[in-house]
Amino acid sequence: MRLLIKGGRIIDPANNLDSIGDVLIVDGKIAEISENIEVQVNKTVDAEGMIVTPGLIDMHVHFREPGYEHKETIATGTRAAAAGGFTSVACMPNTNPINDNQAVCSLIKQKAKEEGVVKVFPIGAVTKGSQGEELAEIGELKEAGVVALSDDGKPISNGEIMRRALEYAQMFNLTIISHAEDLNLAVGGFMHEGYVSTVLGLRGIPSAAEETMVARDIILAELTGSPLHIAHLSTAGSVRMARDAKARGLMVTAEATPHHFTLTDEAVVGYHTATKVNPPLRSSSDRDAILAGLKDGTIDVIATDHAPHAREEKEVEYAYAPNGMVGLETAVPLVVSQLINQGILTWSEAIAKLTVNPARILGLPLGTLSIGSTADVTIIDPQQEAVVDTAKFQSMGKNSAFSGWKLQGWPICTIVDGQIVMQSGKILA
Amino acid sequence: MWKRKDLLGLKELSIDEINMILDTAVPMKDIIKRTIKKVPTLRGRSMVTLFYEPSTRTRTSFEMAAKYLSADTSSLTVATSSVAKGETLIDTGRTIEVMGADVIVIRHESAGAPHLLAQSVVARVINAGDGMHEHPTQGLLDLFTMREKKGDLSNLKVAILGDILHSRVARSNIWGLTKFGAEVRVVGPSTLLPGEFKKMGVQVFHNVEEALRGVDVVNVLRLQKERQKKGLLPSLREYAKIFGLDQKRLSLAKPDALVMHPGPMNRGVEIMPDVYDSTQSVVDEQVTNGVAVRMAILYLLMGGGTGNEIIN
Ligand SMILES: [Zn+2]
């Protein structure tokens, strides 16, 4: 099976590559990249004027299976990923039951193999039941195939447990992904604490609720010498502390979501529950700090925190709505429209945060177009403009704050192991 | 002519819209003073009160307002049990609507609930208090009372005293008064009054004496006793001592300053009995004006004109 991608702008940050040319895929591997390849192939994809990148990796999604299949399944979640240009996703363990044991992990992998359109890498829980009290069987989880550990959705409130988790996970080369939140400071809050929350009369979550935990976790990463990845950074203070930690040589990495680099708490005006996310949408100075952190490399990764909910769960009073927004199908056009077209990031910088950087943090041999590597490829049309239409989402979750937004730069082709799984918005797998 | 479908807050109302309500409330108040307190204006129309939080006062005020205008009323007090059963606000609103309600008056503990309801039904929606957001009819009756007693709102100095952070009454008052150009001072303990309020165009004080100096109106808010348990206050005793409105503090205001309170009062906590009983207190008048203002709103929302024609 030979597939030829012709005439695209090939951007592979892992190899410092940014040039126009052809990519030849043979039997699921990258076989050749050069200016002009003339060989007999089974299929050719015309990529003139398009961006050709390693398959995008989203290291933070919630697929809800097992346990909450009315919100999303691995089948629908991976279709959403393919539609959004992602060839790999790492799914958080806050399913029901929690992915804190081999059985759940195996189930996820099995489902992904049978029904998945893209690659699914499970993230294991740090603590049993994500209760924050006792370590999960991290060694067993590693054997079962988890690529990182997190109690995402909840912080690990007990500092001693977090310390031991960092120490223990190090033996298995697993990074702990911190959901940084001081629950006492955040309690009762529904949005960012500031002027907008004051006017709307919604109890606020202060930036300090995130920052005090980011500070603690960085201190513990230093104590243990273990890698720490901070999920969904949302405040200027968190960015500052992550930058400082990196400057001191700690193994601290961080991610930001498209909704946090695009929106502010002003989006909550009107009480649209799609804007209810955790951490909350912050102030414009926080957003500016995130943009600066993306630019200077403090923030390594763009991850969606794709969090689908059923329609009726979100069609309630703001206070009662669950946290979360879907993100897989709008991530690429938001990166293009908000970061690349605005001059915040170059194409290469943006692609690195969606490919090689998450691959390195998760220890995956992916996120590159190196010859001989797995042929996961994403093709993006940088010019294409379209209005976000949640009704057309592959995801079961329609809870997007970007509904109706006109965005530029959409993925047009997703290739997994040399197979086209999405072309022009259609899922082919 | 009134053009807005719903009444959700004072923030979005124009001065003209507020004036229209206040002007319409004047003849409405005359109806309340008559021996036979009933006009046929809204005959055949129906209002449903949908209260997710108990408030007999506000609900009764709406019901009397509707009855004086001959509208039919029914009330639905929603216990948390039916919420637990899974009936959503949208379901409940649509059910009430298909039963024929023209106006739904909603009181809810969650900010924005009236907005959700307003988007989901064709019926008109009146916000009777939503969480910490707004209480527009209370704000309007406060404006009406101040205008009635003091005339022009634009020259007034008004102090709002108490738990500003959690108060929807404070927010509605602030939006209304600042639109008219009144000087608004908010005063309360720092845990119940974040500095963000400055951006709403008011002056922020944590010292009652400073805040009350020379004001025309002191609007005292009710203190929820739970605030102490949440770590926002050391004790009610200390609150009363530092922030309670007594005669000595009131004497710093203008001699003819009005004392207002949205009720019900914690006597001896946020307001001392001698102040409540003084001639400066217009608390009873506020209650009467509340009915007049709600009559005006119901009348305008159900398609009425200026209100002058209905007195005859
Ligand atoms: Zn999280």
Side-chain angles (χ1 to χ4, degrees), chain A residues 195 198-199, chain B residues 11 156-158 160 170-171 173-186 193-205:
Chain A
Y195 177 67
T198 305
V199 168
Chain B
K11 182 170 190 282
L156 291 185
K157 284 190 176 67
V158 179
I160 307 172
R171 285 174 180 75
N173 267 268
I174 290 168
W175 294 127
L177 287 164
T178 54
K179 274 182 215 284
F180 284 93
E183 180 184 323
V184 181
R185 304 172 180 182
V186 292
L193 175 48
E196 299 288 353
F197 274 90
K198 284 191 192 92
K199 295 185 201 153
M200 289 170 79
V202 302
Q203 299 169 47
V204 171
F205 293 83

mmCIF file of all heavy atoms in Angstrom, chain A residues 195 198-199, chain B residues 11 156-158 160 170-171 173-186 193-205:
data_model
loop_
_atom_site.group_PDB
_atom_site.id
_atom_site.type_symbol
_atom_site.label_atom_id
_atom_site.label_comp_id
_atom_site.label_asym_id
_atom_site.label_seq_id
_atom_site.Cartn_x
_atom_site.Cartn_y
_atom_site.Cartn_z
ATOM 1 N N TYR A 195 -14.269 41.195 38.013
ATOM 2 C CA TYR A 195 -15.363 42.140 37.785
ATOM 3 C C TYR A 195 -16.583 41.459 37.156
ATOM 4 O O TYR A 195 -17.717 41.695 37.572
ATOM 5 C CB TYR A 195 -14.871 43.291 36.895
ATOM 6 C CG TYR A 195 -15.962 44.265 36.544
ATOM 7 C CD1 TYR A 195 -16.539 45.068 37.534
ATOM 8 C CD2 TYR A 195 -16.437 44.374 35.243
ATOM 9 C CE1 TYR A 195 -17.560 45.957 37.228
ATOM 10 C CE2 TYR A 195 -17.455 45.264 34.937
ATOM 11 C CZ TYR A 195 -18.014 46.047 35.925
ATOM 12 O OH TYR A 195 -19.026 46.917 35.616
ATOM 13 N N THR A 198 -18.541 39.565 39.564
ATOM 14 C CA THR A 198 -19.208 40.499 40.474
ATOM 15 C C THR A 198 -20.509 41.009 39.858
ATOM 16 O O THR A 198 -21.546 41.062 40.519
ATOM 17 C CB THR A 198 -18.270 41.689 40.774
ATOM 18 O OG1 THR A 198 -17.039 41.178 41.280
ATOM 19 C CG2 THR A 198 -18.876 42.635 41.782
ATOM 20 N N VAL A 199 -20.452 41.346 38.586
ATOM 21 C CA VAL A 199 -21.637 41.872 37.912
ATOM 22 C C VAL A 199 -22.670 40.772 37.684
ATOM 23 O O VAL A 199 -23.868 40.976 37.888
ATOM 24 C CB VAL A 199 -21.235 42.516 36.568
ATOM 25 C CG1 VAL A 199 -22.462 42.810 35.727
ATOM 26 C CG2 VAL A 199 -20.439 43.785 36.825
ATOM 27 N N LYS B 11 -29.404 46.516 34.820
ATOM 28 C CA LYS B 11 -28.195 46.843 34.065
ATOM 29 C C LYS B 11 -28.518 47.159 32.618
ATOM 30 O O LYS B 11 -27.992 48.105 32.050
ATOM 31 C CB LYS B 11 -27.201 45.680 34.134
ATOM 32 C CG LYS B 11 -25.900 45.975 33.407
ATOM 33 C CD LYS B 11 -24.846 44.913 33.684
ATOM 34 C CE LYS B 11 -23.486 45.328 33.165
ATOM 35 N NZ LYS B 11 -23.320 45.167 31.733
ATOM 36 N N LEU B 156 -28.791 62.836 44.119
ATOM 37 C CA LEU B 156 -28.765 62.137 45.405
ATOM 38 C C LEU B 156 -27.405 61.527 45.716
ATOM 39 O O LEU B 156 -26.665 61.117 44.834
ATOM 40 C CB LEU B 156 -29.799 61.012 45.411
ATOM 41 C CG LEU B 156 -31.265 61.420 45.423
ATOM 42 C CD1 LEU B 156 -32.135 60.163 45.543
ATOM 43 C CD2 LEU B 156 -31.559 62.388 46.553
ATOM 44 N N LYS B 157 -27.120 61.506 47.023
ATOM 45 C CA LYS B 157 -25.998 60.716 47.530
ATOM 46 C C LYS B 157 -26.621 59.547 48.299
ATOM 47 O O LYS B 157 -27.318 59.751 49.286
ATOM 48 C CB LYS B 157 -25.168 61.551 48.515
ATOM 49 C CG LYS B 157 -24.270 62.596 47.901
ATOM 50 C CD LYS B 157 -23.354 63.146 49.021
ATOM 51 C CE LYS B 157 -22.336 64.130 48.508
ATOM 52 N NZ LYS B 157 -22.910 65.391 48.009
ATOM 53 N N VAL B 158 -26.328 58.333 47.847
ATOM 54 C CA VAL B 158 -26.961 57.160 48.448
ATOM 55 C C VAL B 158 -25.878 56.220 48.988
ATOM 56 O O VAL B 158 -24.931 55.894 48.269
ATOM 57 C CB VAL B 158 -27.815 56.397 47.408
ATOM 58 C CG1 VAL B 158 -28.455 55.164 48.030
ATOM 59 C CG2 VAL B 158 -28.884 57.318 46.819
ATOM 60 N N ILE B 160 -25.226 52.425 50.404
ATOM 61 C CA ILE B 160 -25.792 51.077 50.549
ATOM 62 C C ILE B 160 -24.883 50.348 51.531
ATOM 63 O O ILE B 160 -23.667 50.279 51.334
ATOM 64 C CB ILE B 160 -25.844 50.346 49.192
ATOM 65 C CG1 ILE B 160 -26.574 51.213 48.154
ATOM 66 C CG2 ILE B 160 -26.537 48.993 49.344
ATOM 67 C CD1 ILE B 160 -26.520 50.660 46.738
ATOM 68 N N ALA B 170 -28.399 45.220 46.100
ATOM 69 C CA ALA B 170 -27.340 46.222 45.935
ATOM 70 C C ALA B 170 -27.015 46.422 44.461
ATOM 71 O O ALA B 170 -26.926 47.555 43.976
ATOM 72 C CB ALA B 170 -26.092 45.795 46.696
ATOM 73 N N ARG B 171 -26.873 45.309 43.731
ATOM 74 C CA ARG B 171 -26.511 45.446 42.314
ATOM 75 C C ARG B 171 -27.591 46.193 41.539
ATOM 76 O O ARG B 171 -27.296 47.082 40.746
ATOM 77 C CB ARG B 171 -26.245 44.077 41.698
ATOM 78 C CG ARG B 171 -24.889 43.479 42.141
ATOM 79 C CD ARG B 171 -24.731 42.061 41.632
ATOM 80 N NE ARG B 171 -23.464 41.439 42.031
ATOM 81 C CZ ARG B 171 -23.173 40.976 43.242
ATOM 82 N NH1 ARG B 171 -24.062 41.099 44.233
ATOM 83 N NH2 ARG B 171 -22.008 40.411 43.509
ATOM 84 N N ASN B 173 -29.754 48.293 42.659
ATOM 85 C CA ASN B 173 -29.717 49.700 43.080
ATOM 86 C C ASN B 173 -28.556 50.441 42.414
ATOM 87 O O ASN B 173 -28.717 51.569 41.956
ATOM 88 C CB ASN B 173 -29.559 49.792 44.602
ATOM 89 C CG ASN B 173 -30.895 49.893 45.315
ATOM 90 O OD1 ASN B 173 -31.379 50.994 45.571
ATOM 91 N ND2 ASN B 173 -31.511 48.762 45.615
ATOM 92 N N ILE B 174 -27.414 49.799 42.396
ATOM 93 C CA ILE B 174 -26.230 50.451 41.819
ATOM 94 C C ILE B 174 -26.460 50.774 40.347
ATOM 95 O O ILE B 174 -26.226 51.902 39.898
ATOM 96 C CB ILE B 174 -24.979 49.550 41.985
ATOM 97 C CG1 ILE B 174 -24.564 49.495 43.458
ATOM 98 C CG2 ILE B 174 -23.832 50.056 41.117
ATOM 99 C CD1 ILE B 174 -23.523 48.415 43.768
ATOM 100 N N TRP B 175 -26.938 49.784 39.575
ATOM 101 C CA TRP B 175 -27.153 50.042 38.141
ATOM 102 C C TRP B 175 -28.165 51.159 37.941
ATOM 103 O O TRP B 175 -27.971 52.055 37.117
ATOM 104 C CB TRP B 175 -27.618 48.780 37.409
ATOM 105 C CG TRP B 175 -26.604 47.684 37.348
ATOM 106 C CD1 TRP B 175 -26.795 46.384 37.733
ATOM 107 C CD2 TRP B 175 -25.254 47.751 36.868
ATOM 108 N NE1 TRP B 175 -25.650 45.656 37.535
ATOM 109 C CE2 TRP B 175 -24.686 46.457 37.003
ATOM 110 C CE3 TRP B 175 -24.454 48.780 36.350
ATOM 111 C CZ2 TRP B 175 -23.372 46.161 36.631
ATOM 112 C CZ3 TRP B 175 -23.149 48.483 35.983
ATOM 113 C CH2 TRP B 175 -22.618 47.193 36.116
ATOM 114 N N GLY B 176 -29.257 51.081 38.695
ATOM 115 C CA GLY B 176 -30.308 52.086 38.518
ATOM 116 C C GLY B 176 -29.834 53.476 38.891
ATOM 117 O O GLY B 176 -29.957 54.429 38.115
ATOM 118 N N LEU B 177 -29.264 53.597 40.069
ATOM 119 C CA LEU B 177 -28.875 54.925 40.566
ATOM 120 C C LEU B 177 -27.755 55.546 39.733
ATOM 121 O O LEU B 177 -27.791 56.736 39.421
ATOM 122 C CB LEU B 177 -28.442 54.824 42.036
ATOM 123 C CG LEU B 177 -29.595 54.594 43.019
ATOM 124 C CD1 LEU B 177 -29.056 54.111 44.367
ATOM 125 C CD2 LEU B 177 -30.441 55.859 43.190
ATOM 126 N N THR B 178 -26.769 54.750 39.374
ATOM 127 C CA THR B 178 -25.640 55.325 38.618
ATOM 128 C C THR B 178 -26.078 55.780 37.225
ATOM 129 O O THR B 178 -25.532 56.732 36.696
ATOM 130 C CB THR B 178 -24.454 54.342 38.500
ATOM 131 O OG1 THR B 178 -24.925 53.111 37.962
ATOM 132 C CG2 THR B 178 -23.819 54.078 39.862
ATOM 133 N N LYS B 179 -27.081 55.110 36.666
ATOM 134 C CA LYS B 179 -27.580 55.559 35.359
ATOM 135 C C LYS B 179 -28.114 56.985 35.441
ATOM 136 O O LYS B 179 -27.975 57.765 34.504
ATOM 137 C CB LYS B 179 -28.713 54.646 34.875
ATOM 138 C CG LYS B 179 -28.237 53.411 34.128
ATOM 139 C CD LYS B 179 -29.428 52.596 33.634
ATOM 140 C CE LYS B 179 -29.120 51.116 33.690
ATOM 141 N NZ LYS B 179 -28.254 50.634 32.627
ATOM 142 N N PHE B 180 -28.736 57.309 36.574
ATOM 143 C CA PHE B 180 -29.299 58.659 36.740
ATOM 144 C C PHE B 180 -28.243 59.665 37.197
ATOM 145 O O PHE B 180 -28.548 60.843 37.330
ATOM 146 C CB PHE B 180 -30.459 58.623 37.743
ATOM 147 C CG PHE B 180 -31.717 58.047 37.168
ATOM 148 C CD1 PHE B 180 -31.999 56.701 37.299
ATOM 149 C CD2 PHE B 180 -32.616 58.852 36.474
ATOM 150 C CE1 PHE B 180 -33.168 56.161 36.760
ATOM 151 C CE2 PHE B 180 -33.768 58.314 35.930
ATOM 152 C CZ PHE B 180 -34.048 56.970 36.069
ATOM 153 N N GLY B 181 -27.054 59.185 37.476
ATOM 154 C CA GLY B 181 -25.990 60.094 37.893
ATOM 155 C C GLY B 181 -25.921 60.314 39.394
ATOM 156 O O GLY B 181 -25.195 61.199 39.862
ATOM 157 N N ALA B 182 -26.658 59.524 40.163
ATOM 158 C CA ALA B 182 -26.572 59.650 41.619
ATOM 159 C C ALA B 182 -25.193 59.213 42.101
ATOM 160 O O ALA B 182 -24.525 58.401 41.446
ATOM 161 C CB ALA B 182 -27.643 58.786 42.282
ATOM 162 N N GLU B 183 -24.763 59.767 43.238
ATOM 163 C CA GLU B 183 -23.505 59.322 43.838
ATOM 164 C C GLU B 183 -23.812 58.122 44.724
ATOM 165 O O GLU B 183 -24.611 58.233 45.652
ATOM 166 C CB GLU B 183 -22.907 60.472 44.662
ATOM 167 C CG GLU B 183 -21.597 60.110 45.323
ATOM 168 C CD GLU B 183 -21.058 61.235 46.214
ATOM 169 O OE1 GLU B 183 -21.212 62.426 45.863
ATOM 170 O OE2 GLU B 183 -20.504 60.899 47.278
ATOM 171 N N VAL B 184 -23.196 57.002 44.429
ATOM 172 C CA VAL B 184 -23.486 55.789 45.189
ATOM 173 C C VAL B 184 -22.246 55.374 45.977
ATOM 174 O O VAL B 184 -21.151 55.279 45.428
ATOM 175 C CB VAL B 184 -23.932 54.629 44.270
ATOM 176 C CG1 VAL B 184 -24.250 53.382 45.100
ATOM 177 C CG2 VAL B 184 -25.143 55.035 43.441
ATOM 178 N N ARG B 185 -22.450 55.186 47.265
ATOM 179 C CA ARG B 185 -21.371 54.689 48.110
ATOM 180 C C ARG B 185 -21.791 53.333 48.642
ATOM 181 O O ARG B 185 -22.907 53.169 49.112
ATOM 182 C CB ARG B 185 -21.171 55.620 49.311
ATOM 183 C CG ARG B 185 -20.913 57.062 48.904
ATOM 184 C CD ARG B 185 -20.931 57.943 50.124
ATOM 185 N NE ARG B 185 -20.697 59.330 49.783
ATOM 186 C CZ ARG B 185 -20.619 60.309 50.697
ATOM 187 N NH1 ARG B 185 -20.757 60.022 51.989
ATOM 188 N NH2 ARG B 185 -20.404 61.546 50.320
ATOM 189 N N VAL B 186 -20.897 52.360 48.532
ATOM 190 C CA VAL B 186 -21.204 51.060 49.121
ATOM 191 C C VAL B 186 -20.269 50.860 50.305
ATOM 192 O O VAL B 186 -19.097 51.225 50.253
ATOM 193 C CB VAL B 186 -21.086 49.906 48.107
ATOM 194 C CG1 VAL B 186 -22.177 50.002 47.054
ATOM 195 C CG2 VAL B 186 -19.724 49.875 47.423
ATOM 196 N N LEU B 193 -17.315 42.800 50.529
ATOM 197 C CA LEU B 193 -17.313 43.935 49.608
ATOM 198 C C LEU B 193 -15.970 44.024 48.895
ATOM 199 O O LEU B 193 -15.075 44.757 49.317
ATOM 200 C CB LEU B 193 -17.612 45.237 50.381
ATOM 201 C CG LEU B 193 -17.549 46.555 49.611
ATOM 202 C CD1 LEU B 193 -18.317 46.501 48.300
ATOM 203 C CD2 LEU B 193 -18.087 47.685 50.484
ATOM 204 N N PRO B 194 -15.815 43.241 47.805
ATOM 205 C CA PRO B 194 -14.548 43.300 47.071
ATOM 206 C C PRO B 194 -14.407 44.615 46.307
ATOM 207 O O PRO B 194 -15.394 45.255 45.950
ATOM 208 C CB PRO B 194 -14.641 42.115 46.107
ATOM 209 C CG PRO B 194 -16.099 41.858 45.940
ATOM 210 C CD PRO B 194 -16.755 42.275 47.233
ATOM 211 N N GLY B 195 -13.185 45.002 46.070
ATOM 212 C CA GLY B 195 -12.891 46.251 45.383
ATOM 213 C C GLY B 195 -13.407 46.318 43.955
ATOM 214 O O GLY B 195 -13.521 47.403 43.379
ATOM 215 N N GLU B 196 -13.725 45.145 43.375
ATOM 216 C CA GLU B 196 -14.246 45.108 42.000
ATOM 217 C C GLU B 196 -15.463 46.019 41.817
ATOM 218 O O GLU B 196 -15.756 46.450 40.713
ATOM 219 C CB GLU B 196 -14.657 43.678 41.629
ATOM 220 C CG GLU B 196 -13.550 42.662 41.649
ATOM 221 C CD GLU B 196 -12.566 42.814 40.506
ATOM 222 O OE1 GLU B 196 -12.805 43.644 39.605
ATOM 223 O OE2 GLU B 196 -11.532 42.120 40.540
ATOM 224 N N PHE B 197 -16.181 46.269 42.906
ATOM 225 C CA PHE B 197 -17.391 47.089 42.805
ATOM 226 C C PHE B 197 -17.086 48.494 42.298
ATOM 227 O O PHE B 197 -17.948 49.138 41.721
ATOM 228 C CB PHE B 197 -18.135 47.123 44.141
ATOM 229 C CG PHE B 197 -19.068 45.959 44.317
ATOM 230 C CD1 PHE B 197 -18.631 44.780 44.895
ATOM 231 C CD2 PHE B 197 -20.374 46.019 43.871
ATOM 232 C CE1 PHE B 197 -19.476 43.692 45.036
ATOM 233 C CE2 PHE B 197 -21.244 44.941 44.002
ATOM 234 C CZ PHE B 197 -20.780 43.768 44.589
ATOM 235 N N LYS B 198 -15.842 48.960 42.535
ATOM 236 C CA LYS B 198 -15.470 50.299 42.051
ATOM 237 C C LYS B 198 -15.737 50.448 40.564
ATOM 238 O O LYS B 198 -16.138 51.493 40.093
ATOM 239 C CB LYS B 198 -13.981 50.556 42.304
ATOM 240 C CG LYS B 198 -13.632 50.867 43.734
ATOM 241 C CD LYS B 198 -12.186 51.377 43.852
ATOM 242 C CE LYS B 198 -11.732 51.399 45.298
ATOM 243 N NZ LYS B 198 -11.059 50.126 45.682
ATOM 244 N N LYS B 199 -15.493 49.340 39.823
ATOM 245 C CA LYS B 199 -15.667 49.408 38.364
ATOM 246 C C LYS B 199 -17.132 49.551 37.965
ATOM 247 O O LYS B 199 -17.440 49.801 36.812
ATOM 248 C CB LYS B 199 -15.074 48.161 37.703
ATOM 249 C CG LYS B 199 -13.574 48.057 37.864
ATOM 250 C CD LYS B 199 -13.027 46.866 37.093
ATOM 251 C CE LYS B 199 -11.672 46.457 37.636
ATOM 252 N NZ LYS B 199 -11.395 45.032 37.411
ATOM 253 N N MET B 200 -18.031 49.366 38.909
ATOM 254 C CA MET B 200 -19.448 49.579 38.610
ATOM 255 C C MET B 200 -19.811 51.055 38.789
ATOM 256 O O MET B 200 -20.977 51.431 38.661
ATOM 257 C CB MET B 200 -20.327 48.704 39.519
ATOM 258 C CG MET B 200 -20.242 47.214 39.175
ATOM 259 S SD MET B 200 -21.042 46.117 40.387
ATOM 260 C CE MET B 200 -22.760 46.288 39.939
ATOM 261 N N GLY B 201 -18.840 51.869 39.100
ATOM 262 C CA GLY B 201 -19.092 53.308 39.186
ATOM 263 C C GLY B 201 -19.512 53.772 40.569
ATOM 264 O O GLY B 201 -20.182 54.804 40.698
ATOM 265 N N VAL B 202 -19.122 53.031 41.610
ATOM 266 C CA VAL B 202 -19.490 53.426 42.966
ATOM 267 C C VAL B 202 -18.227 53.642 43.803
ATOM 268 O O VAL B 202 -17.140 53.233 43.411
ATOM 269 C CB VAL B 202 -20.368 52.354 43.652
ATOM 270 C CG1 VAL B 202 -21.624 52.100 42.833
ATOM 271 C CG2 VAL B 202 -19.599 51.050 43.864
ATOM 272 N N GLN B 203 -18.397 54.291 44.935
ATOM 273 C CA GLN B 203 -17.283 54.427 45.874
ATOM 274 C C GLN B 203 -17.382 53.333 46.922
ATOM 275 O O GLN B 203 -18.461 53.041 47.412
ATOM 276 C CB GLN B 203 -17.349 55.788 46.573
ATOM 277 C CG GLN B 203 -17.255 56.973 45.625
ATOM 278 C CD GLN B 203 -17.593 58.259 46.346
ATOM 279 O OE1 GLN B 203 -17.104 58.528 47.432
ATOM 280 N NE2 GLN B 203 -18.453 59.059 45.729
ATOM 281 N N VAL B 204 -16.230 52.744 47.224
ATOM 282 C CA VAL B 204 -16.202 51.617 48.156
ATOM 283 C C VAL B 204 -15.651 52.071 49.512
ATOM 284 O O VAL B 204 -14.595 52.701 49.578
ATOM 285 C CB VAL B 204 -15.340 50.470 47.587
ATOM 286 C CG1 VAL B 204 -15.107 49.386 48.616
ATOM 287 C CG2 VAL B 204 -15.997 49.888 46.329
ATOM 288 N N PHE B 205 -16.385 51.782 50.566
ATOM 289 C CA PHE B 205 -15.971 52.133 51.928
ATOM 290 C C PHE B 205 -16.009 50.910 52.828
ATOM 291 O O PHE B 205 -16.860 50.037 52.648
ATOM 292 C CB PHE B 205 -16.941 53.157 52.552
ATOM 293 C CG PHE B 205 -16.924 54.514 51.914
ATOM 294 C CD1 PHE B 205 -17.662 54.768 50.764
ATOM 295 C CD2 PHE B 205 -16.183 55.553 52.474
ATOM 296 C CE1 PHE B 205 -17.659 56.031 50.188
ATOM 297 C CE2 PHE B 205 -16.177 56.814 51.903
ATOM 298 C CZ PHE B 205 -16.916 57.056 50.756
#
